[in-house]
Amino acid sequence: MRVLGIETSCDETAAAVVTEGGDVLSDVVRSQVALHAPYGGVVPEVAARDHARAVVPVVREALSRAGVAAADLDGVAVTSRPGLAGALLVGLQAAKGLAWAAGKPLVGVDHLVGHLLAVFLRRGGAPPPEERPSFPYVALLASGGHTAIYRVDGPSLDAIRELGATRDDAAGEAFDKVAKLLGLGYPGGPVVDRLAATGNAAAASEAVPAVMARKESLEFSFSGIKSAVARHVAKRGRPEGQALHDLCAAFQGAVVDALVQKTVRAARVEGVERVVLAGGVAANRGLRARMAAACERRGLALFVPPFASCTDNGAMIAYAGALRLAAGERDALDLAPETRTALPRVTRKGGGAR
Ligand code: KG4
Ligand code: ZN
């Protein structure tokens, strides 16, 4: 089976052709980062307009790199939720038009399910079998829009359960906001990651509180640490030189500690031996290193997809769609965008003791 996947939920216009076995035949990602950078974050209307310009060329490129015509496809998958409504609408219209014109089945994919299954993608030849987890696994999904821990018993929506999520900001959002406060530009994760590598976290630890210290909870909160950095900058000004590196290291260390501790705890509570990383923040070198060490200590097997599978891409959408098609599922041409995920949330937004 060869399935085209289209992704336009946020600030990447992406399309890919993937088989139901997860082999990536093509994967085209056109980032809008430069377009949104002057605003320090994604501007929804700007995103939607740029998707409208880019979606047809990106889809063409994905088909041509895979060496398939629309007539050769077995279906068209598209991110239908969650995301920016206007941005989602562009991908949906493109997918519907193509599916209708070529007479192919259409399936909508929940973007978060795409991230959670991205670990199964095979790029440039098959990795040995142990590089792909079996079900069940515990997955940490940390991106600019979402941060949650899931138990994944299978690829369908009803086999995925949220164990805990953030009550406020997503982890990537915290990186982006702190980078903005420090004058480091957008997106913030990669640059904070780079500066943190040569920083001494202990030298700046008084500026940064521990993140959500309550031990039993699997929920996150990242707004407090962002406010602490904002207060620090308001009082002392933007740090420079080594002090900047130290502050980045302290901030990243606190965020990573929370992500690692809670993910490992979730695996223990669930009695699951496999841990998977997903989402753009999974590119963070500090997170990868500390998660690897923590899993090793506890005898957990850790699966970390390559960077291209962690950040937003069309291949994960095509793959999740291929599994839906293989299960005989289809969506009608009136499929509508939804801003929220179809995965039931257990974590409520906001404060309070729980
Ligand atoms: O998954 P993704 O590409 O898009 C969303 O669905 O949000 O994630 C983007 C997020 C941004 O917030 C970015 O700052 C963060 O991932 N990110 C990182 C790193 N690379 C990207 N955060 C920390 N360290 C990184 N190396
Ligand atoms: Zn994403």
Side-chain angles (χ1 to χ4, degrees), residues 9-12 111 115 142-146 171-173 175-176 186-191 193 252 279-285 307 310-312:
S9 68
C10 188
D11 61 347
E12 269 92 22
H111 181 87
H115 273 303
S143 71
H146 309 275
E173 191 179 356
F175 271 94
D176 295 337
Y186 173 85
V191 49
D193 192 4
Q252 175 170 301
V281 180
N284 187 270
R285 285 177 288 168
F307 184 61
C310 289
T311 49
D312 284 351

Side-chain angles (χ1 to χ4, degrees), residues 35-43 46 180:
L35 207 58
H36 299 291
Y39 308 100
V42 177
V43 184
V46 172
K180 194 171 177 177

Side-chain angles (χ1 to χ4, degrees), residues 16-201:
V17 180
V18 174
T19 69
E20 71 187 291
D23 290 306
V24 180
L25 306 182
S26 67
D27 185 24
V28 180
V29 181
R30 184 181 177 282
S31 170
Q32 299 181 350
V33 159
L35 207 58
H36 299 291
Y39 308 100
V42 177
V43 184
E45 185 59 25
V46 172
R49 284 167 193 262
D50 196 59
H51 285 309
R53 276 190 290 272
V55 71
V56 171
V58 165
V59 166
R60 279 218 179 94
E61 179 77 18
L63 290 173
S64 116
R65 283 196 207 168
V68 300
D72 306 326
L73 293 170
D74 294 283
V76 179
V78 59
T79 306
S80 60
R81 63 195 301 172
L84 305 167
L88 288 166
L89 199 55
V90 175
L92 270 164
Q93 293 307 106
K96 288 178 191 177
L98 188 65
W100 180 77
K104 305 294 177 185
L106 173 80
V107 274
V109 169
D110 191 293
H111 181 87
L112 303 191
V113 175
H115 273 303
L116 293 173
L117 300 178
V119 67
F120 294 109
L121 294 172
R122 280 193 289 232
R123 296 171 183 273
E130 66 270 18
E131 285 187 23
R132 299 173 118 200
S134 49
F135 298 112
Y137 54 81
V138 161
L140 170 68
L141 168 46
S143 71
H146 309 275
T147 294
I149 302 171
Y150 296 91
R151 177 188 168 113
V152 183
D153 283 285
S156 60
L157 278 168
D158 59 3
I160 301 173
R161 186 158 54 87
E162 182 193 298
L163 302 172
T166 180
R167 294 179 179 185
D168 40 59
D169 294 349
E173 191 179 356
F175 271 94
D176 295 337
K177 286 178 175 172
V178 162
K180 194 171 177 177
L181 283 166
L182 298 176
L184 300 174
Y186 173 85
V191 49
V192 171
D193 192 4
R194 188 165 46 77
L195 296 176
T198 48
N200 172 14

Side-chain angles (χ1 to χ4, degrees), residues 178 181-182 207-209 224-234 247 251:
V178 162
L181 283 166
L182 298 176
V208 175
I225 192 170
K226 171 202 64 191
S227 306
V229 174
R231 282 195 300 274
H232 181 78
V233 170
L247 187 57
F251 164 76

